[in-house]
Structures are given as C-alpha cells and as structure tokens.
Amino acid sequence: DLMDLKDETKETQDLYGLSDEFPNTRTFARECLLARRLVERGVRFIELTCPAGNGDRWDQHSNLVDGHTKNARSVDKPISALLTDLKQRGLLDETLVVWGGEFGRTVYGQGGLKDDYGRDHHGRCFSMWLAGGGIRGGTVHGETDDFSYNIIKDPMHVHDFQATLLHLMGIDHEQLTFKLQGRRFRLTDVHGNVVKDILS
C-alpha cells in the first residue's frame, strides 16, 4: 500500500514532478512522495539520496555547470513539493527536514583555466539547510570570508549540529554520558552545544 501511488491525486503527483520530462526529477519525486507517505505512517527516520546519473551527484570535480544544473533540476521541485505537502497536511511542524550535500567544497576552481572546471573537497566550511520540526524559518547562521575558505561568524561545529538535532528530537545529549578511559563520552563525543539561534 505504501508504494502504490495510485491514490495520490494528479495535482499532488504533478506538484512533486512525477510527470516531469527529466528522468531524475521523476526518480527523486517518487522518493519525496514516498517520504511523505512514510511520515504519515509514523516512520521516525527517512533518508533520501539524490539520483545517480548526474555526473557524480554533488561530488563533481569537473563539468560543474552541466552536473550541478542536472542535480538542481533533479531535486528542487520534489523538495519544494515535499515541504509544501507536509505543511498543507499539518506535518511540517513535527517533521525535521535536513538537507546536506557531500561535504564542503571550495568556491575557487580546480584544474585548468577553462570555463567549466570543478571544485575541490573542503573541510572547513559546509552549508546545510533545515526546515520544520522546531527550526526558525528564514534564519541564516554562520558566515564565511569572501572566498568561503574560513568561518568568520557564528561557527557551528559538527558536534554543535548533532547536539542541536538531538535537542530537536527531544534528547538532551549531555544526559547520555558514559565514562571511558577518563573521558565522559556522549553521543556528541565530549563536545557540542545546542545552537538556540536557529530554533523557533
């Protein structure tokens, strides 16, 4: 029953992009629509993956214009539909949506001096977005320098991010602590603070 979408209206199917001419949009549209149906059935954790066939998904070291255009076309409409659909059904307030790519990427070019080169891996800065589930909409947290190389304002370490996600799920990360070899470990290692600026 979950996988059978025949009871979804044409309006809903079109909203997600199930009839889009681009195959990867249709693929991700189905993932997003199934995600909404899983949420309705009380599934607590759902992970979606950008469709393959766009070069190397978001991990492109060349042909950025072509690859990222296809990636964006694959996911933009279905993600927008998922957020809209969850909100219309009164489910967005209790559903935390987290989007992230592979990891940080440099903004400067990698490779030769041609029009369509790539970007290298970058461990210092990484952009993500969150929606619903206790997040204050329209909030931007953190800032990099003009080269997106270093964080210059409001850094959020991965441990802070994890502590904040756990908080949004009703879990105090500091309460889940055990002592090992003289250190007091928790789900966020021995670090992490809830970033309250992004909470509604």
Side-chain angles (χ1 to χ4, degrees), residues 4 20 22 25 59-60 65 70 85 111 143 161 184 186:
D4 187 353
D20 195 277
F22 189 54
T25 303
D59 182 17
Q60 281 140 355
V65 173
K70 288 176 180 174
D85 203 7
E143 184 180 333
F161 183 68
R184 297 187 61 78
R186 52 192 186 231

Side-chain angles (χ1 to χ4, degrees), residues 16-83:
Y16 279 86
L18 284 172
S19 57
D20 195 277
E21 63 183 35
F22 189 54
N24 284 354
T25 303
R26 295 194 304 268
T27 298
F28 200 66
R30 182 173 175 80
E31 286 187 46
C32 287
L33 184 49
L34 289 171
R36 191 220 73 213
R37 293 167 68 89
L38 287 164
V39 169
E40 287 178 314
R41 287 159 171 81
V43 175
R44 290 175 163 262
F45 183 86
I46 303 158
E47 182 177 354
L48 307 180
T49 304
C50 179
N54 297 334
D56 193 6
R57 295 189 179 117
W58 298 101
D59 182 17
Q60 281 140 355
H61 293 258
S62 62
N63 300 317
L64 288 186
V65 173
D66 179 63
H68 283 190
T69 298
K70 288 176 180 174
N71 289 337
R73 185 169 179 193
S74 298
V75 302
D76 280 358
K77 186 174 186 177
I79 288 172
S80 174
L82 176 61
L83 296 175

Side-chain angles (χ1 to χ4, degrees), residues 11 75 93 139 151 166 171 200:
E11 180 182 47
V75 302
D93 288 344
T139 302
I151 301 166
L166 289 167
I171 300 170
S200 60

Side-chain angles (χ1 to χ4, degrees), residues 177-185 190:
T177 303
F178 64 96
K179 192 170 183 180
L180 177 67
Q181 298 178 341
R183 298 175 76 197
R184 297 187 61 78
F185 283 95
V190 295

